[in-house]
Structure formats: C-alpha cells, structure tokens
C-alpha cells in the first residue's frame, strides 16, 4: 500500500545503545518530519527535512540525528539512548513543496521505543 | 500549560450516543485541525476549520475563533469510532512547519 512506512514497529533498547528508526514514503513528497508522542503531551517535532538534502531542528532535537538519504527516506538516529527517549515516534510526509500542510500530511504507523 | 487544551482526556460511551470533544487554545490562530489516531497508531486528518462548521458523515466540527474554542461531535457513535482524537493549530510564531498539538482525547465506544 502507498504511504509512509516506518520500521521497526517496536523496539526495546538499553541505556547507551544506539539505533536508527527508518522511514520511507512512496508518494514523491518533498518534505518529511519526525515527531515524538509522550503521555500527557501533544506531538512534538524532533527534526524535519523540507526537501532532499536539507534537514532542520524542530522543538526537541537534543539526543537525535537525522539523515535524508534520498527523496524517499528519512531516518532518525539515537546515538546513545536514554530513558527520557522512551516514546512513540511518528514519521510524516507532506504533499506540496516545503510547507507542512497538516490536512494533506501522511503519517506512518509509529515506532514504540522503550529505553530501559 | 499547553497552548492547546483538550477535554475530556478519556471518554467512554455506549453505541449510539452523541459525543462531544472540546478543544481550547490560547494562541491566535488562523485555522484548527482535528486528527484521528487509530488504535494501531496511524494518524489521519479529519477536518481543517477556520470558521463555522464542517460535516463529514457522522462527524461534525465547529469553531468559534473569538472564543478560541472548537468542538468535535460524533453522532450515532459506533465502536469503530474508538480512537484518540487530537486537535492541532499552526503555531503563529514558528513558521510553516510547526503545529501545536493537543494531548488527545481517548474515546472508547462500547457495543
């Protein structure tokens, strides 16, 4: 099915371990985004990529790095995981240009990450 | 205090009931969005409102810009409506990429 695909769906890490969350979209969208969702808080933007070859920090970038590998793929890396990074992570992409229009955005199914 | 507040946080209803979810915001906005997050995690946009009311099937969204309040209504609720409903507003100060999301209302409709 067309859309945004995230892998893995679930992951448990030990404190200090590293991992990369993968995101791919097959809709030829220019812009892609990584959010985290925590209990009692709204979705918060970690990083975004307005177009292939560019990345920018969002609200909560500390402890994360990203790579826009090509137009399809946008990965999120945790270099040294901490319990505070336990969260559900969502990747999203947007239809038009470099503007994130929420009404036209597609979200992945989420990755539930637990850091122990 | 979150700039976008939702109530209630959790809601359980019997099938067929009329449901109302509220969203209040403290920032000046041009539009407000309602999203649905399915139990499997996927998030889809339901409505974007800048004034008045919009209807899609059994879902109705209203907004009062002056009072900074929006409501999402579900008529004749069904167990398949069980989901988390999220309101979101574009941040007035942070450019085109940033939205302020509410914490969500978890709805469970019992058969």
């Amino acid at each position: 099915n067309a859309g945004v695909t995230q892998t893995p769906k679930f992951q448990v890490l030990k404190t200090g371990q590293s991992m990369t969350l993968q995101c791919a979209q097959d809709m030829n969208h220019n812009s892609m985004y990584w959010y985290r969702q925590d209990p009692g808080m709204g979705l918060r933007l970690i990083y975004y990529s307005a177009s292939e070859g560019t990345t920018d920090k969002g609200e909560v970038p500390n402890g994360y790095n990203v790579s826009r590998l090509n137009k399809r793929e946008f990965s999120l890396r945790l270099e040294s995981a901490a319990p505070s990074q336990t969260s559900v992570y969502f990747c999203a992409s947007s239809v038009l240009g470099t503007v994130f229009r929420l009404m036209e955005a597609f979200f992945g199914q989420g990755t539930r990450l637990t850091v122990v | 205090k979150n700039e976008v507040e939702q109530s209630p946080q959790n809601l359980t209803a019997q099938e067929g009931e009329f449901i109302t979810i509220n969203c209040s915001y403290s920032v000046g906005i041009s539009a407000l969005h309602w999203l649905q997050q399915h139990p499997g995690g996927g998030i889809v946009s339901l409505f974007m409102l800048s004034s008045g009311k919009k209807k899609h099937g059994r879902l109705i969204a209203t907004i009062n810009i002056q009072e900074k309040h929006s409501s999402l209504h579900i008529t004749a609720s069904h167990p398949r409506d069980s989901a988390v409903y999220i309101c979101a507003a574009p941040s007035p100060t942070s450019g085109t990429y940033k939205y302020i999301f509410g914490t969500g209302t978890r709805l469970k409709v019992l058969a």
Side-chain angles (χ1 to χ4, degrees):
Chain A
N1 291 337
V4 178
T5 303
Q6 287 182 237
T7 55
K9 287 188 169 52
F10 301 94
Q11 184 72 48
V12 178
L13 287 179
K14 293 182 179 177
T15 297
Q17 286 186 318
S18 62
M19 80 160 293
T20 300
L21 281 65
Q22 307 285 354
C23 175
Q25 52 89 10
D26 56 6
M27 297 170 284
N28 203 37
H29 289 174
N30 285 324
S31 52
M32 298 183 72
Y33 306 81
W34 276 105
Y35 285 92
R36 61 178 289 174
Q37 184 180 43
D38 301 295
M41 304 189 74
L43 288 161
R44 292 182 293 168
L45 184 65
I46 305 171
Y47 269 94
Y48 70 103
S49 171
S51 61
E52 185 179 355
T54 68
T55 60
D56 285 286
K57 295 178 181 179
E59 300 171 76
V60 288
N62 291 344
Y64 305 96
N65 284 301
V66 290
S67 296
R68 184 73 183 266
L69 304 169
N70 47 54
K71 194 169 187 180
R72 289 188 64 246
E73 298 172 289
F74 187 39
S75 62
L76 178 72
R77 183 160 178 83
L78 286 71
E79 292 290 352
S80 179
S84 61
Q85 294 178 303
T86 294
S87 187
V88 181
Y89 292 84
F90 286 95
C91 177
S93 68
S94 182
V95 176
L96 296 175
T98 59
V99 174
F100 184 52
R101 295 193 171 94
L102 191 57
M103 194 67 196
E104 297 154 351
F106 288 77
F107 284 83
Q109 295 294 307
T111 296
R112 187 172 294 275
L113 175 68
T114 303
V115 183
V116 298
Chain B
K1 180 174 164 66
N2 204 16
E3 292 170 292
V4 176
E5 296 275 348
Q6 287 186 238
S7 63
Q9 287 187 324
N10 295 283
L11 182 56
T12 300
Q14 293 292 326
E15 183 174 359
E17 285 187 7
F18 181 84
I19 288 163
T20 296
I21 298 169
N22 296 299
C23 178
S24 298
Y25 49 92
S26 58
V27 294
I29 62 169
S30 57
L32 186 122
H33 296 254
W34 283 99
L35 310 166
Q36 181 188 54
Q37 183 174 9
H38 298 290
I43 299 172
V44 296
S45 291
L46 297 173
F47 295 104
M48 183 181 72
L49 289 166
S50 55
S51 65
K53 178 167 71 173
K54 284 192 176 179
K55 186 174 186 288
H56 181 68
R58 295 179 294 104
L59 301 177
I60 303 166
T62 63
I63 190 168
N64 185 318
I65 291 287
Q66 288 74 27
E67 293 186 5
K68 297 186 177 178
H69 182 268
S70 177
S71 293
L72 177 69
H73 306 285
I74 305 174
T75 62
S77 59
H78 189 275
R80 64 175 174 266
D81 298 324
S82 299
V84 176
Y85 293 85
I86 301 169
C87 63
S91 170
T93 58
S94 300
T96 54
Y97 67 86
K98 185 170 180 276
Y99 283 79
I100 306 168
F101 292 84
T103 54
T105 295
R106 186 175 299 274
L107 171 65
K108 186 171 184 178
V109 181
L110 304 175

